[in-house]
């Protein structure tokens, strides 16, 4: 009797772990877990903004000019809006476009 309970428990755990592994593979196969068919829509115009940038070394953070817009994203089942910031660091030539943050490295 104990062996049948143990066998059933092992079978259930195997099925459960297999399901978890398949879900992880789906997330790994798509970049950053983002669905492939995501729609984006700019909700407003780009506006002048400021961004706090911390460069490498012991330099203090600097405030640089940036642009900001609101985007709406949808994957069919879920919609959300988020502010997007874009700027270029004139010193390093690096460019950032992505979700708005309180500071950037």
């Amino acid at each position: 009797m104990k062996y049948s309970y143990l066998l059933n428990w092992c079978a259930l755990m195997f099925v459960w772990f297999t399901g978890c592994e398949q879900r992880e593979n789906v997330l790994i196969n798509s970049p950053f877990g983002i669905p492939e068919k995501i729609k984006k829509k700019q909700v407003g115009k780009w506006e002048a903004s400021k961004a706090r940038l911390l460069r490498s070394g012991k330099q203090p953070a600097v405030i640089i000019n940036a642009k900001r817009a609101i985007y709406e994203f949808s994957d069919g089942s879920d919609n959300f809006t988020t502010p997007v910031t874009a700027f270029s660091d004139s010193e390093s030539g690096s460019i950032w476009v992505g979700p708005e943050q309180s500071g950037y490295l």
Side-chain angles (χ1 to χ4, degrees), residues 24-85:
E24 289 172 5
N25 286 340
V26 169
L27 294 176
I28 290 170
N29 291 338
S30 63
F32 308 110
I34 299 173
E36 290 183 22
K37 295 183 179 182
I38 194 162
K39 296 177 183 177
K40 66 180 183 305
K41 176 181 160 187
Q42 187 174 341
V43 178
K45 293 183 177 185
W46 285 97
E47 302 171 349
S49 180
K50 300 286 184 186
R52 183 179 309 185
L53 177 65
L54 180 61
R55 295 187 174 114
S56 61
K58 294 184 178 182
Q59 302 175 13
V62 294
I63 305 297
I64 61 173
N65 293 324
K67 295 284 185 174
R68 180 183 189 269
I70 305 292
Y71 272 80
E72 179 178 273
F73 296 93
S74 171
D75 66 357
S77 63
D78 193 18
N79 295 350
F80 66 95
T81 58
T82 187
V84 173
T85 300

